[in-house]
Amino acid sequence: MSELIDPALPKVELHLHLEGAASPAFIRGLAKEKGLDISGIFAEDGGYDYRDFWHFLEVYEAATSTLQSPEDFRRLVLAVLEDRAEDGVIYAETFVSPDFCGGGDLGAWREYLHAIEEAAEQAQNTMGITLKGVVTCIRHFGPEKARPIALCAAETKGDFITGFGIAGDEKMHHPKDFAWAFDCAREAGLRLTAHAGEWGGAQSVRDALDHLRPERIGHGVQAIDDLALVDRLAEDGIVLEVCPGSNVFLGVYPSFRDHPVDRLREREVKITLSTDDPPFFRTTLVQEYETLARTFGWTEADFRSINADALKAAFCDEATKRSLLDRLTR
Ligand code: ADE
Ligand code: ZN
């Protein structure tokens, strides 16, 4: 079947978990080097294996347990950015969790971050791809653990760390429990995003907006069940980081056809497109574009417009945006 969308189309990807973008081969390699037995997380074909979203989070954390040093993260960033560059991504933001980089200790986090930033700079020079980091607390680790994570974020805000967010199991705790962490990050000048409306229903999006006041929502797709909320998202210019393949693979929606991304767009909500944890969902950004084009009849012009919106919503400085806009519209 011939392609509908040029795979080389320049892309902006705002919703990507760093550890979640590690290929099974990369994680298997680290496990072997360290003598760790994590064979239970892989299927016969070598891919990640899990039953549902909650099991996915367990498998994700088992895979992440092989990442034990700044050097491991340096190698991870390079491997992940090579994959992104192959998809035509010119700008990406990645969620990175001090929980997995030294357990929330600020001194350790600085060392991990140094290695991550060095790798990002190398990728910028060799692959022409720009990466920024969004420090992310993990909801199911609880609000007490989120505080040191927010402090890590506030202390290391800079050219690379530009945002703060929350991921993890939306059914655990309430957004208001994380208001302190978000206030801390906001006061430090970080831009804010929060996972909501992936599993938690439309009300979870309202709660995240009311208590955390983010400018972007990770997923947010279940807002479609509350049209007054959809209007609020559109009017307030809240940007959704939509990951259709992730939602379909995890069973939030049975198929792309049932996914609300097209309806959200029709109601003038600003949406962006990402892969979330691509090897876990056996997807790539090129594949996502192709499936969306086939399902909804979206054209290259639609994807160009979505990427321009993503760049506007990016958590980077204006000079970076200007130089990327040139490449995006070429
Ligand atoms: N962490 C990694 N992927 C995630 C997802 N899809 N939802 C919530 N937390 C996550
Ligand atoms: Zn996510």
Side-chain angles (χ1 to χ4, degrees):
M1 223 180 334
S2 66
E3 288 147 355
L4 295 178
I5 304 297
D6 178 3
L9 184 79
K11 302 173 183 72
V12 171
E13 183 165 38
L14 301 181
H15 190 114
L16 181 77
H17 298 263
L18 184 54
E19 309 86 14
S23 74
F26 181 88
I27 293 296
R28 250 195 310 279
L30 282 184
K32 192 164 173 215
E33 281 171 27
K34 296 175 163 77
L36 300 170
D37 180 9
I38 52 159
S39 50
I41 70 169
F42 300 112
E44 261 176 32
D45 70 356
Y48 294 115
D49 192 25
Y50 50 89
R51 291 181 301 277
D52 55 23
F53 174 67
W54 292 272
H55 190 212
F56 154 75
L57 290 177
E58 280 175 36
V59 166
Y60 184 103
E61 282 159 34
T64 300
S65 72
T66 63
L67 290 156
Q68 298 179 343
S69 68
E71 171 60 15
D72 293 342
F73 272 85
R74 192 188 66 74
R75 285 161 63 189
L76 174 63
V77 168
L78 288 174
V80 166
L81 290 182
E82 244 170 63
D83 292 344
R84 320 276 23 93
E86 253 178 50
D87 267 359
V89 174
I90 60 168
Y91 175 85
E93 288 178 9
T94 191
F95 298 122
V96 50
S97 308
D99 289 289
F100 301 133
C101 297
D105 174 76
L106 179 60
W109 165 241
R110 284 191 197 282
E111 285 177 31
Y112 278 81
L113 183 58
H114 182 68
I116 291 169
E117 284 197 63
E118 266 188 356
E121 202 178 314
Q122 186 179 333
Q124 174 80 69
N125 294 334
T126 57
M127 304 175 213
I129 179 167
T130 305
L131 182 72
K132 300 290 176 191
V134 176
V135 169
T136 304
C137 62
I138 313 286
R139 188 148 159 179
H140 54 274
F141 291 177
E144 294 312 315
K145 283 232 168 146
R147 290 171 184 244
I149 302 308
L151 290 170
C152 282
E155 287 292 329
T156 54
K157 177 196 176 261
D159 180 54
F160 181 75
I161 294 296
T162 54
F164 181 75
I166 183 168
D169 183 355
E170 253 182 70
K171 302 227 170 190
M172 300 275 285
H173 307 285
H174 189 278
K176 68 174 181 293
D177 302 331
F178 299 91
W180 188 95
F182 271 69
D183 288 347
C184 169
R186 185 183 302 103
E187 277 162 28
L190 289 156
R191 314 274 299 269
L192 303 175
T193 176
H195 278 62
E198 180 188 18
W199 293 99
Q203 186 59 39
S204 76
V205 177
R206 282 188 182 279
D207 290 341
L209 291 174
D210 291 344
H211 295 281
L212 306 177
R213 296 190 281 132
E215 56 187 283
R216 300 193 327 223
I217 293 279
H219 299 284
V221 287
Q222 293 201 7
I224 198 67
D225 298 324
D226 175 346
L227 293 182
L229 173 61
V230 171
D231 290 345
R232 175 177 171 187
L233 294 173
E235 277 159 26
D236 292 354
I238 303 288
V239 174
L240 301 188
E241 303 154 7
V242 182
C243 309
S246 160
N247 297 150
V248 171
F249 198 89
L250 285 170
V252 181
Y253 297 101
S255 70
F256 269 70
R257 174 51 57 201
D258 298 291
H259 196 282
V261 65
D262 192 49
R263 282 173 283 151
L264 287 163
R265 234 182 131 226
E266 271 173 8
R267 298 190 74 98
E268 299 191 357
V269 176
K270 287 271 184 280
I271 66 108
T272 65
L273 294 171
S274 298
T275 53
D276 209 5
D277 309 282
F280 281 86
F281 309 134
R282 301 185 182 228
T283 191
T284 66
L285 202 49
V286 165
Q287 208 175 299
E288 298 283 315
Y289 280 37
E290 196 60 21
T291 310
L292 289 164
R294 287 188 192 283
T295 308
F296 299 118
W298 291 3
T299 62
E300 183 175 308
D302 289 307
F303 292 106
R304 282 192 183 276
S305 151
I306 288 167
N307 278 304
D309 285 342
L311 188 60
K312 275 190 209 135
F315 292 167
C316 64
D317 56 279
E318 291 303 316
T320 304
K321 286 190 189 187
R322 272 193 300 277
S323 72
L324 289 167
L325 188 61
D326 264 3
R327 289 173 66 195
L328 215 49
T329 47
R330 218 176 276 161

